[in-house]
């Protein structure tokens, strides 16, 4: 089981796929992804039982995904949401609609949150390849 997965958070499967996608990138591809946003994203997700878990997407230096609160880094933007993250990551729910309906809240640089969609597409591609 991936260290990104958490059995209490079904959406962690999506995050784990994103982590695998980043791990599979060449150094050149990682640098390209980093240059697109140059940011650190924190995903703070609350499950149906009210438990919270954080994941960090580092697209400033390392191009990787880690589980847990930021250690020694400050996120440029924190995205706070519930399990609707799965819908957001799959494209079934748009980021703007999620924000306007209160399903997604942000802390920090809100404009960087718009760049997350491109990052999530990387994980979607990995998930689609796994189904084939």
């Amino acid at each position: 089981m991936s260290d990104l997965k958490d059995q209490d958070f079904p959406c962690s499967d999506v995050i784990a796929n994103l982590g695998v996608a980043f791990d599979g990138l060449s150094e050149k591809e990682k640098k390209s992804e980093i240059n697109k946003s140059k940011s650190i994203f924190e995903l703070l997700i609350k499950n149906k039982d009210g438990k919270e878990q954080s994941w960090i997407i580092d697209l400033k230096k390392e191009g990787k995904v880690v589980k847990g609160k930021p250690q020694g880094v400050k996120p440029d933007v924190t995205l706070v949401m519930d399990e609707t993250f799965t819908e957001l990551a799959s494209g079934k729910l748009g980021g703007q609609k999620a924000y306007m309906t209160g399903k997604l809240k942000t802390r920090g640089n809100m404009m960087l949150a718009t760049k997350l969609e491109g990052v999530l597409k990387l994980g979607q591609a990995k998930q689609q390849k796994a189904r084939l």
Side-chain angles (χ1 to χ4, degrees), residues 27-106:
E27 284 304 310
K28 184 178 179 180
E29 291 169 322
K30 274 187 187 181
K31 284 182 182 181
S32 174
E33 289 299 321
I34 288 169
N35 285 331
K36 289 178 186 175
S37 67
K38 297 179 184 174
S39 306
I40 296 177
F41 299 90
E42 178 183 16
L43 304 175
L44 180 59
I45 300 175
K46 184 184 281 191
N47 70 7
K48 63 182 183 215
D49 297 326
K51 181 179 172 188
E52 290 184 344
Q53 179 63 55
S54 289
W55 287 269
I56 302 298
I57 302 172
D58 179 350
L59 286 176
K60 191 173 259 186
K61 293 182 180 176
E62 299 183 44
K64 69 177 187 176
V65 183
V66 294
K67 181 177 156 188
K69 288 282 185 190
Q71 302 294 318
V73 296
K74 183 177 185 242
D76 296 293
V77 63
T78 299
L79 303 156
V80 182
M81 66 196 101
D82 60 16
E83 285 288 337
T84 58
F85 173 73
T86 304
E87 294 174 44
L88 188 66
S90 70
K92 292 179 182 175
L93 177 65
Q96 187 175 12
K97 184 174 182 180
Y99 182 79
M100 297 303 260
T101 58
K103 292 181 178 183
L104 169 65
K105 295 178 175 71
T106 62

Side-chain angles (χ1 to χ4, degrees), residues 1-5 11-27 29-30 33 43 55-59 62-67 85 89 116 118-127:
M1 185 162 117
S2 167
D3 60 342
L4 296 174
K5 289 188 180 183
C11 69
S12 68
D13 290 339
V14 175
I15 297 167
N17 284 335
L18 186 60
V20 169
F22 275 111
D23 289 345
L25 294 177
S26 69
E27 284 304 310
E29 291 169 322
K30 274 187 187 181
E33 289 299 321
L43 304 175
W55 287 269
I56 302 298
I57 302 172
D58 179 350
L59 286 176
E62 299 183 44
K64 69 177 187 176
V65 183
V66 294
K67 181 177 156 188
F85 173 73
L116 187 63
V119 174
L120 294 175
K121 285 182 181 178
L122 197 63
Q124 287 174 349
K126 178 67 181 172
Q127 199 170 21

Side-chain angles (χ1 to χ4, degrees), residues 99 128-129:
Y99 182 79
Q128 288 172 350
K129 284 181 183 177

